[in-house]
Amino acid sequence: MARIHPTAVIEDGAEIAAGVSIGPFSVIGAKVSLAEGVEIKSHVVVTGNTSIGPDTVIFSFSVVGEIPQDLKYHGEDTRLEIGARNRIREHVTINPGTEGGGGITSIGDDCLLMAGVHVAHDCRVGNRVILVNNVGLAGHVQVDDDVIIGGISGVHQWVRIGKGAIIGGLSKVEKDVIPYGMVQGKAGSLVGLNLIGLKRRGLDRTDINALREAYVRLANEGGTFRERAEALSQEAANEYVSAIAAFILSDSDRSFLTPE
């Protein structure tokens, strides 16, 4: 049975599963779906065509599913999908998609969005992503699994951040980031690999050495960045190196941060 505080406002049509908890003065819109075990703290707004997966917790003063901050949005029926076991901390804002961007914003499972994070329209955020305090994702950003973005960092529209990458705090990211890359600095320079993250995930020395060699080749060999990636793709026998090459060679609306 759901536990709903008497001061909460639940609009007709909202789907509230068993075991949901909704705190004082929170507002749940008519098109919202809350799966089993979701916890909504006090003073939270969840609105729009929004679904939230099991055991996700949303903390006070967050606004989830409100219309995009995009002047091209004209009320079209778009969606926000949030997966399971996420922790969405205080003052987070997450907007649904737009018709021009595919109509959906999505967040995977087991993510941590710390206080003050903004996820704009049409973003796609993977699993086990950590967005530290006051990170801002502009529209259409893609963040793959296991990424960490440090506090007060901003990511430009259409940028892709590859799996396992880490962005240092106070970074400005205007170009795509390769999988397992490490970015830091006000201008968002690619300065190496996320070695600490790779070790935490249990990669063995053979894989890490293969990634190091690939990074050196991307940084130092002749030709364009894409040509270097093509050479890696043709020669790579390691799955992690192949993932980097495939990421670089796939379609993108932005250019890449290249190794320094």
Side-chain angles (χ1 to χ4, degrees):
M1 182 177 178
R3 294 166 293 157
I4 301 173
H5 194 275
T7 62
V9 176
I10 313 298
E11 296 183 2
D12 291 342
E15 298 179 4
I16 311 295
V20 169
S21 173
I22 301 174
F25 304 105
S26 288
V27 178
I28 309 299
K31 295 183 178 181
V32 171
S33 174
L34 304 180
E36 186 169 353
V38 167
E39 182 178 0
I40 306 295
K41 302 283 190 176
S42 69
H43 300 85
V44 173
V45 175
V46 184
T47 188
N49 194 352
T50 297
S51 62
I52 299 177
D55 300 316
T56 286
V57 181
I58 303 180
F59 287 74
S60 299
F61 308 108
S62 292
V63 179
V64 175
E66 190 54 272
I67 65 171
Q69 299 177 106
D70 182 350
L71 295 177
K72 299 185 297 299
Y73 178 78
H74 295 295
E76 57 265 29
D77 188 19
T78 54
R79 289 190 52 76
L80 168 62
E81 296 182 357
I82 298 174
R85 299 176 302 279
N86 295 290
R87 295 295 178 267
I88 298 172
R89 295 303 306 246
E90 296 82 359
H91 298 280
V92 168
T93 54
I94 310 173
N95 298 148
T98 63
E99 185 176 29
I104 185 169
T105 300
S106 64
I107 294 174
D109 300 332
D110 302 299
C111 297
L112 170 59
L113 280 60
M114 296 189 191
V117 163
H118 175 63
V119 179
H121 60 88
D122 304 295
C123 286
R124 302 295 182 102
V125 176
N127 303 311
R128 301 174 300 280
V129 170
I130 298 175
L131 304 180
V132 181
N133 302 78
N134 297 303
V135 163
L137 304 183
H140 313 279
V141 167
Q142 174 184 317
V143 180
D144 291 344
D145 295 347
D146 303 305
V147 167
I148 299 173
I149 303 181
I152 322 179
S153 293
V155 183
H156 196 281
Q157 291 176 335
W158 301 103
V159 162
R160 300 179 304 151
I161 300 179
K163 182 176 180 178
I166 186 167
I167 313 298
L170 292 168
S171 293
K172 175 184 177 184
V173 185
E174 296 181 300
K175 299 179 180 180
D176 288 354
V177 179
I178 62 171
Y180 317 112
M182 179 172 63
V183 171
Q184 65 181 23
K186 294 179 181 178
S189 301
L190 184 64
V191 296
L193 294 170
N194 181 17
L195 295 175
I196 292 174
L198 294 171
K199 291 173 182 176
R200 285 175 177 169
R201 292 181 56 209
L203 265 70
D204 63 32
R205 187 176 297 276
T206 300
D207 290 325
I208 290 175
N209 287 341
L211 283 166
R212 280 175 161 159
E213 180 182 347
Y215 185 87
V216 170
R217 292 184 60 185
L218 285 171
N220 297 317
E221 287 191 352
T224 66
F225 190 60
R226 185 177 181 86
E227 288 168 346
R228 297 173 218 163
E230 288 172 346
L232 274 183
S233 178
Q234 293 167 6
E235 301 168 16
N238 180 278
E239 62 175 305
Y240 298 98
V241 175
S242 296
I244 291 177
F247 184 90
I248 295 169
L249 296 174
S250 61
D251 292 336
S252 175
D253 294 289
R254 306 292 297 175
S255 57
F256 281 88
L257 289 174
T258 54
E260 292 196 337

